PDB file of all heavy atoms in Angstrom:
ATOM      1  N   THR A   1      89.386 103.880 110.222  1.00  0.00           N
ATOM      2  CA  THR A   1      89.742 104.920 109.257  1.00  0.00           C
ATOM      3  C   THR A   1      89.010 104.776 107.926  1.00  0.00           C
ATOM      4  O   THR A   1      88.966 105.725 107.136  1.00  0.00           O
ATOM      5  CB  THR A   1      91.254 104.884 108.981  1.00  0.00           C
ATOM      6  OG1 THR A   1      91.589 103.621 108.366  1.00  0.00           O
ATOM      7  CG2 THR A   1      92.048 105.036 110.272  1.00  0.00           C
ATOM      8  N   GLY A   2      88.488 103.581 107.651  1.00  0.00           N
ATOM      9  CA  GLY A   2      87.828 103.345 106.375  1.00  0.00           C
ATOM     10  C   GLY A   2      88.781 103.166 105.211  1.00  0.00           C
ATOM     11  O   GLY A   2      88.363 103.205 104.049  1.00  0.00           O
ATOM     12  N   THR A   3      90.076 102.990 105.491  1.00  0.00           N
ATOM     13  CA  THR A   3      91.077 102.846 104.435  1.00  0.00           C
ATOM     14  C   THR A   3      91.572 101.411 104.357  1.00  0.00           C
ATOM     15  O   THR A   3      91.514 100.651 105.329  1.00  0.00           O
ATOM     16  CB  THR A   3      92.277 103.768 104.689  1.00  0.00           C
ATOM     17  OG1 THR A   3      92.867 103.435 105.956  1.00  0.00           O
ATOM     18  CG2 THR A   3      91.844 105.219 104.721  1.00  0.00           C
ATOM     19  N   LYS A   4      92.099 101.049 103.173  1.00  0.00           N
ATOM     20  CA  LYS A   4      92.696  99.736 103.002  1.00  0.00           C
ATOM     21  C   LYS A   4      93.971  99.647 103.835  1.00  0.00           C
ATOM     22  O   LYS A   4      94.761 100.600 103.885  1.00  0.00           O
ATOM     23  CB  LYS A   4      93.025  99.475 101.538  1.00  0.00           C
ATOM     24  CG  LYS A   4      91.826  99.129 100.674  1.00  0.00           C
ATOM     25  CD  LYS A   4      92.270  98.727  99.273  1.00  0.00           C
ATOM     26  CE  LYS A   4      93.150  97.499  99.300  1.00  0.00           C
ATOM     27  NZ  LYS A   4      93.539  97.036  97.950  1.00  0.00           N
ATOM     28  N   ALA A   5      94.179  98.504 104.466  1.00  0.00           N
ATOM     29  CA  ALA A   5      95.338  98.335 105.342  1.00  0.00           C
ATOM     30  C   ALA A   5      96.470  97.580 104.668  1.00  0.00           C
ATOM     31  O   ALA A   5      97.612  97.635 105.129  1.00  0.00           O
ATOM     32  CB  ALA A   5      94.921  97.594 106.617  1.00  0.00           C
ATOM     33  N   ILE A   6      96.168  96.879 103.591  1.00  0.00           N
ATOM     34  CA  ILE A   6      97.174  96.037 102.927  1.00  0.00           C
ATOM     35  C   ILE A   6      97.231  96.421 101.455  1.00  0.00           C
ATOM     36  O   ILE A   6      96.213  96.414 100.753  1.00  0.00           O
ATOM     37  CB  ILE A   6      96.839  94.541 103.105  1.00  0.00           C
ATOM     38  CG1 ILE A   6      96.971  94.157 104.583  1.00  0.00           C
ATOM     39  CG2 ILE A   6      97.725  93.664 102.231  1.00  0.00           C
ATOM     40  CD1 ILE A   6      96.438  92.787 104.925  1.00  0.00           C
ATOM     41  N   ARG A   7      98.426  96.765 100.989  1.00  0.00           N
ATOM     42  CA  ARG A   7      98.590  97.165  99.591  1.00  0.00           C
ATOM     43  C   ARG A   7      98.582  95.954  98.666  1.00  0.00           C
ATOM     44  O   ARG A   7      97.962  95.974  97.608  1.00  0.00           O
ATOM     45  CB  ARG A   7      99.899  97.941  99.420  1.00  0.00           C
ATOM     46  CG  ARG A   7     100.166  98.409  98.000  1.00  0.00           C
ATOM     47  CD  ARG A   7     101.240  99.470  97.922  1.00  0.00           C
ATOM     48  NE  ARG A   7     100.814 100.714  98.570  1.00  0.00           N
ATOM     49  CZ  ARG A   7     101.450 101.874  98.455  1.00  0.00           C
ATOM     50  NH1 ARG A   7     102.538 101.956  97.703  1.00  0.00           N
ATOM     51  NH2 ARG A   7     101.007 102.947  99.085  1.00  0.00           N
ATOM     52  N   ARG A   8      99.289  94.899  99.075  1.00  0.00           N
ATOM     53  CA  ARG A   8      99.351  93.712  98.233  1.00  0.00           C
ATOM     54  C   ARG A   8      99.836  92.532  99.054  1.00  0.00           C
ATOM     55  O   ARG A   8     100.687  92.687  99.931  1.00  0.00           O
ATOM     56  CB  ARG A   8     100.301  93.941  97.050  1.00  0.00           C
ATOM     57  CG  ARG A   8     100.385  92.758  96.085  1.00  0.00           C
ATOM     58  CD  ARG A   8     101.335  93.056  94.934  1.00  0.00           C
ATOM     59  NE  ARG A   8     101.518  91.882  94.093  1.00  0.00           N
ATOM     60  CZ  ARG A   8     102.396  91.819  93.091  1.00  0.00           C
ATOM     61  NH1 ARG A   8     103.148  92.875  92.803  1.00  0.00           N
ATOM     62  NH2 ARG A   8     102.523  90.718  92.380  1.00  0.00           N
ATOM     63  N   THR A   9      99.288  91.365  98.784  1.00  0.00           N
ATOM     64  CA  THR A   9      99.755  90.124  99.399  1.00  0.00           C
ATOM     65  C   THR A   9     100.439  89.290  98.319  1.00  0.00           C
ATOM     66  O   THR A   9      99.841  88.991  97.284  1.00  0.00           O
ATOM     67  CB  THR A   9      98.589  89.339 100.021  1.00  0.00           C
ATOM     68  OG1 THR A   9      97.918  90.172 100.974  1.00  0.00           O
ATOM     69  CG2 THR A   9      99.104  88.091 100.728  1.00  0.00           C
ATOM     70  N   TYR A  10     101.686  88.927  98.566  1.00  0.00           N
ATOM     71  CA  TYR A  10     102.511  88.245  97.576  1.00  0.00           C
ATOM     72  C   TYR A  10     102.565  86.743  97.867  1.00  0.00           C
ATOM     73  O   TYR A  10     102.657  86.327  99.024  1.00  0.00           O
ATOM     74  CB  TYR A  10     103.942  88.785  97.594  1.00  0.00           C
ATOM     75  CG  TYR A  10     104.063  90.257  97.320  1.00  0.00           C
ATOM     76  CD1 TYR A  10     103.852  91.200  98.338  1.00  0.00           C
ATOM     77  CD2 TYR A  10     104.420  90.732  96.057  1.00  0.00           C
ATOM     78  CE1 TYR A  10     103.981  92.557  98.102  1.00  0.00           C
ATOM     79  CE2 TYR A  10     104.553  92.092  95.810  1.00  0.00           C
ATOM     80  CZ  TYR A  10     104.331  93.002  96.837  1.00  0.00           C
ATOM     81  OH  TYR A  10     104.469  94.341  96.596  1.00  0.00           O
ATOM     82  N   GLN A  11     102.561  85.938  96.825  1.00  0.00           N
ATOM     83  CA  GLN A  11     102.789  84.501  96.959  1.00  0.00           C
ATOM     84  C   GLN A  11     104.281  84.234  96.757  1.00  0.00           C
ATOM     85  O   GLN A  11     104.850  84.573  95.710  1.00  0.00           O
ATOM     86  CB  GLN A  11     101.962  83.719  95.951  1.00  0.00           C
ATOM     87  CG  GLN A  11     100.463  83.816  96.192  1.00  0.00           C
ATOM     88  CD  GLN A  11      99.683  82.790  95.379  1.00  0.00           C
ATOM     89  OE1 GLN A  11     100.112  81.656  95.207  1.00  0.00           O
ATOM     90  NE2 GLN A  11      98.509  83.201  94.906  1.00  0.00           N
ATOM     91  N   ALA A  12     104.908  83.636  97.764  1.00  0.00           N
ATOM     92  CA  ALA A  12     106.352  83.436  97.729  1.00  0.00           C
ATOM     93  C   ALA A  12     106.787  82.619  96.520  1.00  0.00           C
ATOM     94  O   ALA A  12     107.845  82.876  95.932  1.00  0.00           O
ATOM     95  CB  ALA A  12     106.806  82.759  99.017  1.00  0.00           C
ATOM     96  N   ALA A  13     105.987  81.633  96.125  1.00  0.00           N
ATOM     97  CA  ALA A  13     106.365  80.775  95.003  1.00  0.00           C
ATOM     98  C   ALA A  13     106.521  81.564  93.707  1.00  0.00           C
ATOM     99  O   ALA A  13     107.259  81.155  92.805  1.00  0.00           O
ATOM    100  CB  ALA A  13     105.327  79.668  94.824  1.00  0.00           C
ATOM    101  N   ARG A  14     105.816  82.696  93.620  1.00  0.00           N
ATOM    102  CA  ARG A  14     105.913  83.544  92.430  1.00  0.00           C
ATOM    103  C   ARG A  14     106.912  84.684  92.617  1.00  0.00           C
ATOM    104  O   ARG A  14     107.518  85.145  91.647  1.00  0.00           O
ATOM    105  CB  ARG A  14     104.542  84.130  92.093  1.00  0.00           C
ATOM    106  CG  ARG A  14     103.473  83.079  91.797  1.00  0.00           C
ATOM    107  CD  ARG A  14     102.117  83.745  91.590  1.00  0.00           C
ATOM    108  NE  ARG A  14     101.054  82.748  91.370  1.00  0.00           N
ATOM    109  CZ  ARG A  14      99.777  83.053  91.259  1.00  0.00           C
ATOM    110  NH1 ARG A  14      99.392  84.333  91.336  1.00  0.00           N
ATOM    111  NH2 ARG A  14      98.880  82.098  91.076  1.00  0.00           N
ATOM    112  N   ALA A  15     107.076  85.144  93.853  1.00  0.00           N
ATOM    113  CA  ALA A  15     107.928  86.306  94.114  1.00  0.00           C
ATOM    114  C   ALA A  15     109.410  85.957  94.149  1.00  0.00           C
ATOM    115  O   ALA A  15     110.255  86.804  93.846  1.00  0.00           O
ATOM    116  CB  ALA A  15     107.525  86.964  95.437  1.00  0.00           C
ATOM    117  N   TYR A  16     109.738  84.721  94.531  1.00  0.00           N
ATOM    118  CA  TYR A  16     111.130  84.327  94.714  1.00  0.00           C
ATOM    119  C   TYR A  16     111.544  83.284  93.691  1.00  0.00           C
ATOM    120  O   TYR A  16     110.732  82.519  93.174  1.00  0.00           O
ATOM    121  CB  TYR A  16     111.353  83.760  96.122  1.00  0.00           C
ATOM    122  CG  TYR A  16     111.006  84.710  97.237  1.00  0.00           C
ATOM    123  CD1 TYR A  16     110.288  84.266  98.352  1.00  0.00           C
ATOM    124  CD2 TYR A  16     111.391  86.043  97.206  1.00  0.00           C
ATOM    125  CE1 TYR A  16     109.972  85.124  99.396  1.00  0.00           C
ATOM    126  CE2 TYR A  16     111.073  86.915  98.236  1.00  0.00           C
ATOM    127  CZ  TYR A  16     110.360  86.449  99.327  1.00  0.00           C
ATOM    128  OH  TYR A  16     110.050  87.301 100.353  1.00  0.00           O
ATOM    129  N   ARG A  17     112.855  83.225  93.459  1.00  0.00           N
ATOM    130  CA  ARG A  17     113.461  82.214  92.605  1.00  0.00           C
ATOM    131  C   ARG A  17     114.651  81.631  93.349  1.00  0.00           C
ATOM    132  O   ARG A  17     115.413  82.365  93.980  1.00  0.00           O
ATOM    133  CB  ARG A  17     113.942  82.824  91.276  1.00  0.00           C
ATOM    134  CG  ARG A  17     112.871  83.575  90.519  1.00  0.00           C
ATOM    135  CD  ARG A  17     113.430  84.227  89.259  1.00  0.00           C
ATOM    136  NE  ARG A  17     114.572  85.114  89.531  1.00  0.00           N
ATOM    137  CZ  ARG A  17     114.466  86.344  89.992  1.00  0.00           C
ATOM    138  NH1 ARG A  17     113.264  86.847  90.274  1.00  0.00           N
ATOM    139  NH2 ARG A  17     115.535  87.085  90.188  1.00  0.00           N
ATOM    140  N   GLY A  18     114.830  80.319  93.241  1.00  0.00           N
ATOM    141  CA  GLY A  18     116.001  79.728  93.862  1.00  0.00           C
ATOM    142  C   GLY A  18     115.693  78.501  94.691  1.00  0.00           C
ATOM    143  O   GLY A  18     114.518  78.179  94.947  1.00  0.00           O
ATOM    144  N   PRO A  19     116.721  77.816  95.158  1.00  0.00           N
ATOM    145  CA  PRO A  19     116.556  76.528  95.831  1.00  0.00           C
ATOM    146  C   PRO A  19     115.958  76.601  97.225  1.00  0.00           C
ATOM    147  O   PRO A  19     115.564  75.571  97.769  1.00  0.00           O
ATOM    148  CB  PRO A  19     117.985  75.977  95.887  1.00  0.00           C
ATOM    149  CG  PRO A  19     118.865  77.189  95.848  1.00  0.00           C
ATOM    150  CD  PRO A  19     118.161  78.167  94.974  1.00  0.00           C
ATOM    151  N   TYR A  20     115.884  77.809  97.803  1.00  0.00           N
ATOM    152  CA  TYR A  20     115.407  77.915  99.189  1.00  0.00           C
ATOM    153  C   TYR A  20     114.042  78.579  99.309  1.00  0.00           C
ATOM    154  O   TYR A  20     113.584  78.866 100.409  1.00  0.00           O
ATOM    155  CB  TYR A  20     116.435  78.684 100.033  1.00  0.00           C
ATOM    156  CG  TYR A  20     117.815  78.074  99.966  1.00  0.00           C
ATOM    157  CD1 TYR A  20     118.825  78.682  99.224  1.00  0.00           C
ATOM    158  CD2 TYR A  20     118.088  76.873 100.610  1.00  0.00           C
ATOM    159  CE1 TYR A  20     120.088  78.109  99.147  1.00  0.00           C
ATOM    160  CE2 TYR A  20     119.353  76.289 100.532  1.00  0.00           C
ATOM    161  CZ  TYR A  20     120.346  76.915  99.788  1.00  0.00           C
ATOM    162  OH  TYR A  20     121.584  76.334  99.699  1.00  0.00           O
ATOM    163  N   LYS A  21     113.384  78.809  98.181  1.00  0.00           N
ATOM    164  CA  LYS A  21     112.110  79.530  98.262  1.00  0.00           C
ATOM    165  C   LYS A  21     111.048  78.727  99.006  1.00  0.00           C
ATOM    166  O   LYS A  21     110.086  79.300  99.522  1.00  0.00           O
ATOM    167  CB  LYS A  21     111.618  79.925  96.872  1.00  0.00           C
ATOM    168  CG  LYS A  21     111.180  78.779  95.974  1.00  0.00           C
ATOM    169  CD  LYS A  21     110.680  79.332  94.641  1.00  0.00           C
ATOM    170  CE  LYS A  21     110.152  78.215  93.744  1.00  0.00           C
ATOM    171  NZ  LYS A  21     109.642  78.766  92.458  1.00  0.00           N
ATOM    172  N   GLU A  22     111.215  77.404  99.105  1.00  0.00           N
ATOM    173  CA  GLU A  22     110.263  76.591  99.855  1.00  0.00           C
ATOM    174  C   GLU A  22     110.329  76.879 101.355  1.00  0.00           C
ATOM    175  O   GLU A  22     109.414  76.532 102.095  1.00  0.00           O
ATOM    176  CB  GLU A  22     110.532  75.107  99.602  1.00  0.00           C
ATOM    177  CG  GLU A  22     110.379  74.669  98.154  1.00  0.00           C
ATOM    178  CD  GLU A  22     108.979  74.939  97.613  1.00  0.00           C
ATOM    179  OE1 GLU A  22     108.015  74.754  98.381  1.00  0.00           O
ATOM    180  OE2 GLU A  22     108.864  75.332  96.435  1.00  0.00           O
ATOM    181  N   ASN A  23     111.421  77.503 101.822  1.00  0.00           N
ATOM    182  CA  ASN A  23     111.549  77.850 103.240  1.00  0.00           C
ATOM    183  C   ASN A  23     110.859  79.172 103.577  1.00  0.00           C
ATOM    184  O   ASN A  23     110.761  79.530 104.755  1.00  0.00           O
ATOM    185  CB  ASN A  23     113.027  77.947 103.634  1.00  0.00           C
ATOM    186  CG  ASN A  23     113.757  76.626 103.478  1.00  0.00           C
ATOM    187  OD1 ASN A  23     113.143  75.559 103.551  1.00  0.00           O
ATOM    188  ND2 ASN A  23     115.058  76.678 103.263  1.00  0.00           N
ATOM    189  N   ALA A  24     110.402  79.877 102.569  1.00  0.00           N
ATOM    190  CA  ALA A  24     109.775  81.186 102.781  1.00  0.00           C
ATOM    191  C   ALA A  24     108.360  81.015 103.320  1.00  0.00           C
ATOM    192  O   ALA A  24     107.741  79.960 103.172  1.00  0.00           O
ATOM    193  CB  ALA A  24     109.730  81.961 101.473  1.00  0.00           C
ATOM    194  N   PRO A  25     107.813  82.051 103.959  1.00  0.00           N
ATOM    195  CA  PRO A  25     106.372  82.034 104.238  1.00  0.00           C
ATOM    196  C   PRO A  25     105.624  81.852 102.922  1.00  0.00           C
ATOM    197  O   PRO A  25     106.078  82.302 101.865  1.00  0.00           O
ATOM    198  CB  PRO A  25     106.105  83.415 104.842  1.00  0.00           C
ATOM    199  CG  PRO A  25     107.438  83.908 105.297  1.00  0.00           C
ATOM    200  CD  PRO A  25     108.452  83.308 104.383  1.00  0.00           C
ATOM    201  N   ASP A  26     104.484  81.215 102.968  1.00  0.00           N
ATOM    202  CA  ASP A  26     103.721  81.010 101.738  1.00  0.00           C
ATOM    203  C   ASP A  26     103.168  82.319 101.196  1.00  0.00           C
ATOM    204  O   ASP A  26     103.041  82.494  99.981  1.00  0.00           O
ATOM    205  CB  ASP A  26     102.591  80.016 102.002  1.00  0.00           C
ATOM    206  CG  ASP A  26     103.126  78.635 102.334  1.00  0.00           C
ATOM    207  OD1 ASP A  26     103.510  77.911 101.406  1.00  0.00           O
ATOM    208  OD2 ASP A  26     103.191  78.301 103.534  1.00  0.00           O
ATOM    209  N   LEU A  27     102.839  83.234 102.102  1.00  0.00           N
ATOM    210  CA  LEU A  27     102.333  84.550 101.721  1.00  0.00           C
ATOM    211  C   LEU A  27     103.120  85.620 102.448  1.00  0.00           C
ATOM    212  O   LEU A  27     103.437  85.474 103.637  1.00  0.00           O
ATOM    213  CB  LEU A  27     100.847  84.682 102.063  1.00  0.00           C
ATOM    214  CG  LEU A  27      99.887  83.708 101.369  1.00  0.00           C
ATOM    215  CD1 LEU A  27      98.496  83.793 101.992  1.00  0.00           C
ATOM    216  CD2 LEU A  27      99.819  83.990  99.863  1.00  0.00           C
TER     217      LEU A  27
END
């Protein structure tokens, strides 16, 4: 299609807060 497929890739360490964020996917 020639279009971008991904709007944004988030880093869990920055997106989440709290004691369990280390269990999240890294991206």
Side-chain angles (χ1 to χ4, degrees):
T1 64
T3 59
K4 284 187 62 177
I6 294 170
R7 180 164 294 192
R8 182 180 174 187
T9 303
Y10 301 82
Q11 294 193 38
R14 300 175 183 175
Y16 301 136
R17 305 176 305 281
Y20 305 106
K21 68 178 183 179
E22 298 301 322
N23 297 334
D26 294 281
L27 299 170

